[in-house]
Amino acid sequence: MTAPWDDWNHILKLDPDKDLPEGITYGDLCATGTDAIEVGGTMGMTEENMTAVIEACAKHDVPLYQEPSNPSVVVETDALEGYLVPTVFNAGSPFWITEAHKEWVRIEGDLDWERTTLEAYIVMNPEADVATLTEANCDLGADDVAAYATIAERMFGQEIVYVEYSGMLGDEEVVAAAGDAVDESTLFYGGGIRDYDSAYLMAQHADVIVVGDLAHDEGVEAVRETVEAANDA
Ligand code: 1GP
């Protein structure tokens, strides 16, 4: 069985709580050559702002996924290819490992399982909102991260392992160790990719690089460069 992300190199993650640069539209960002758009963020998420971005991107020809940060912001729409749902392996609070997910199922009953896939996050930037919120233990060496990646794949059967440095460029040694550790899982890397070189560096170790803030800070050309690097690596 192949999954869509087996063929991806690049994801553009759009944060509904952040503006786009002046003169840039969601359509422009969808046309950067990225393999998929993920709509998600940590702070300020609502069903309304999620829906607005999903609707704006749905008009364009690019696979569209929601990354819901908690059950109350899930948008049910056929415009989405699916839901990529974080579970934070190194969270200090169990809410972000399984409890949020339990609440989602308790409230909704059966989910759309065919379109719902977990992302096994390893959160590495202690300054990032996601680290604070989930009380993540970011004091991890490359060996810890590799071991988390291994248990995600081998013990927990995760299709996607996500090394998350949101807001800063990661330690190459750590990302390389995660890349070496996974065999069948797809390794996502996100954090601090700002240009061709940083994208190329991380794309050498990860299967898929995730670019976030750059789209909100710089716009289309900068994102396009990262797509090119992801495809070159
Ligand atoms: C955030 O991994 C993504 O969830 C991307 O990080 O915003 O730092 O690019 P940046």
Side-chain angles (χ1 to χ4, degrees):
M1 269 274 284
T2 57
W5 35 90
D6 291 343
D7 298 324
W8 296 349
N9 296 321
H10 187 283
I11 293 173
L12 185 59
K13 191 185 286 191
L14 297 175
D15 186 330
D17 194 41
K18 292 180 183 161
D19 295 329
L20 298 186
E22 214 179 313
I24 305 289
T25 66
Y26 287 105
D28 297 333
L29 290 167
C30 290
T32 49
T34 189
D35 295 306
I37 301 274
E38 235 186 325
V39 182
T42 305
M43 306 308 278
M45 293 305 114
T46 64
E47 199 180 335
E48 290 69 35
N49 63 16
M50 284 277 197
T51 302
V53 177
I54 290 167
E55 284 180 354
C57 293
K59 300 180 195 127
H60 306 280
D61 189 23
V62 61
L64 185 59
Y65 289 78
Q66 188 188 16
E67 186 182 56
S69 44
N70 73 71
S72 68
V73 303
V74 175
V75 179
E76 287 181 30
T77 166
D78 291 340
L80 294 168
E81 297 291 319
Y83 303 89
L84 297 175
V85 182
T87 172
V88 179
F89 268 46
N90 59 329
S93 158
F95 184 80
W96 303 106
I97 308 171
T98 52
E99 277 183 25
H101 316 72
K102 179 269 290 176
E103 279 301 287
W104 187 12
V105 170
R106 189 180 64 77
I107 294 161
E108 288 299 322
D110 237 5
L111 301 187
D112 186 349
W113 298 116
E114 291 288 312
R115 294 197 299 155
T116 305
T117 307
L118 287 180
E119 298 166 315
Y121 264 70
I122 307 159
V123 170
M124 291 300 289
N125 175 8
E127 307 287 321
D129 287 339
V130 61
T132 317
L133 185 71
T134 64
E135 299 164 46
N137 171 19
C138 303
D139 188 16
L140 302 176
D143 57 343
D144 295 305
V145 173
Y148 267 128
T150 298
I151 64 159
E153 177 181 280
R154 296 287 168 191
M155 292 179 164
F156 292 86
Q158 297 294 292
E159 284 184 48
I160 298 168
V161 175
Y162 191 142
V163 176
E164 168 69 296
Y165 274 91
S166 181
M168 70 176 277
L169 191 65
D171 179 336
E172 185 182 3
E173 194 197 332
V174 166
V175 184
D180 289 343
V182 294
D183 185 13
E184 281 159 29
S185 306
T186 301
L187 182 67
F188 287 13
Y189 167 83
I193 292 176
R194 307 295 299 177
D195 52 22
Y196 183 95
D197 290 345
S198 49
Y200 189 85
L201 181 75
M202 291 305 166
Q204 284 179 299
H205 305 294
D207 298 304
V208 181
I209 58 166
V210 183
V211 170
D213 282 351
L214 190 65
H216 299 280
D217 298 341
E218 302 287 340
V220 175
E221 281 314 314
V223 172
R224 214 171 257 152
E225 255 185 51
T226 66
V227 172
E228 199 185 319
N231 293 334
D232 287 350

